[in-house]
């Protein structure tokens, strides 16, 4: 797919500030610092559409970007900096939980959940994916980010371990897995092809 235009549309503090449902939305979620904004910039071929590396935990707004004037990329606030929460749901940020639970699948076509490819399965990611698979409706994929940080075989080892220890336990499996690097610019075509197929 060719990206002909990419524009910031709006920021929302919660579900109520989101744009009216209509254009298909593709959301990106993961721990703070996992590389969501960098991946969005890679996908659209712009260095600074999404702001990279703002103070972790400070980006609490849902950011919408209009692509090709036809569909939206959604940069969700990262999880991982909440204080001990009353429920698993609240731990992932109210706005994120609300958006992912309540946005209709006709609008929220797909969620890309980012996982740091360097790390063995992390408790918080496991808890988040458990919730995403069980309590939300839109299809989702996993994106193993920052693959340039280690050897290809180490990445494969981590992905396979994740497959065995985490994915096998999920109520709803991801529809695809991607391996990306914003530095090596890899994984871009695969994700854009997936989005294209869902439009
Ligand atoms: N080596 C490497 N660094 C990355 C990659 N993606 C993001 N980063 C770095 O990781 C940090 C956090 O990235 P950012 O996109 O802001 O993460 P976000 O908090 O999930 O939006 C920044 O310093 C990025 O430059 C990647 O694929 N490879
Ligand atoms: Mg970000």
């Amino acid at each position: 797919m060719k990206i002909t235009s990419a524009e910031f549309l709006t920021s929302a503090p919660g579900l109520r500030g989101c744009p009216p449902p209509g254009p298909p939305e593709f959301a990106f979620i993961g721990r703070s610092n996992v590389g969501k904004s960098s991946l969005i910039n890679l996908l659209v071929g712009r260095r600074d559409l999404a702001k990279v590396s703002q103070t972790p935990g400070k980006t609490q707004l849902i950011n919408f970007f209009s692509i090709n004037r036809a569909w939206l990329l959604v940069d969700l606030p990262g999880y991982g900096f909440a204080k001990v929460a009353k429920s698993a749901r609240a731990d992932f940020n109210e706005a994120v939980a609300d958006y992912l639970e309540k946005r209709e699948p006709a609008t929220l076509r797909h969620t890309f959940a980012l996982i740091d490819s360097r790390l063995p399965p992390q408790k918080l990611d496991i808890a988040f994916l458990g919730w995403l698979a069980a309590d939300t409706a839109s299809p989702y994929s996993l994106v193993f980010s920052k693959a340039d940080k280690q050897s290809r075989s180490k990445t494969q080892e981590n992905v396979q371990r994740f497959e065995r220890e985490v994915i096998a336990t999920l109520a709803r499996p991801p529809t695809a897995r991607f391996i990306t690097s914003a530095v090596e610019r890899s994984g871009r075509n695969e994700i854009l092809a997936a989005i294209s197929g869902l439009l």
Side-chain angles (χ1 to χ4, degrees):
M1 174 170 37
K2 226 179 155 179
I3 304 295
T4 52
S5 73
E7 296 153 354
F8 172 75
L9 180 66
T10 191
S11 289
L15 193 60
R16 264 190 300 168
C18 290
E25 294 175 359
F26 298 87
F28 292 78
I29 181 68
R31 294 184 83 143
S32 301
N33 236 32
V34 71
K36 294 177 296 299
S37 300
S38 302
L39 178 61
I40 287 173
N41 288 336
L42 171 70
L43 293 177
V44 301
R46 292 261 300 269
R47 269 225 321 245
D48 55 358
L49 185 67
K51 293 207 176 75
V52 170
S53 205
Q54 289 171 321
T55 313
K58 238 190 145 184
T59 335
Q60 294 300 329
L61 296 173
I62 304 176
N63 291 309
F64 292 84
F65 303 96
S66 173
I67 312 301
N68 294 355
R69 309 248 155 95
W71 52 277
L72 305 182
L73 279 180
V74 185
D75 191 4
L76 290 168
Y79 55 80
F81 286 84
K83 301 262 159 53
V84 178
K86 289 170 226 92
S87 67
R89 182 185 186 277
D91 209 8
F92 309 128
N93 173 314
E94 266 323 299
V96 169
D98 235 30
Y99 173 83
L100 291 174
E101 273 183 355
K102 296 182 185 150
R103 204 68 160 162
E104 296 289 338
T107 299
L108 175 54
R109 294 285 174 87
H110 203 87
T111 300
F112 293 91
L114 276 73
I115 302 293
D116 191 326
S117 69
R118 283 176 302 181
L119 306 175
Q122 302 288 295
K123 274 196 182 133
L124 196 55
D125 291 326
I126 297 170
F128 175 77
L129 290 174
W131 171 82
L132 185 76
D135 290 5
T136 71
S138 294
Y140 70 97
S141 301
L142 298 183
V143 177
F144 294 92
S145 67
K146 306 193 183 185
D148 58 280
K149 292 259 196 180
Q150 69 278 315
S151 68
R152 215 167 274 215
S153 58
K154 184 69 198 169
T155 301
Q156 282 307 331
E157 192 185 311
N158 284 343
V159 171
Q160 275 159 25
R161 188 169 162 194
F162 206 87
E163 195 81 42
R164 280 196 311 273
E165 294 177 16
V166 185
I167 300 177
T169 70
L170 298 173
R172 247 178 352 119
T175 56
R177 298 108 175 94
F178 302 94
I179 295 174
T180 63
S181 163
V183 170
E184 291 172 347
R185 308 183 57 78
S186 56
R188 178 179 189 268
N189 293 342
E190 290 79 359
I191 292 179
L192 287 179
I195 291 174
S196 185
L198 293 166
L199 284 172

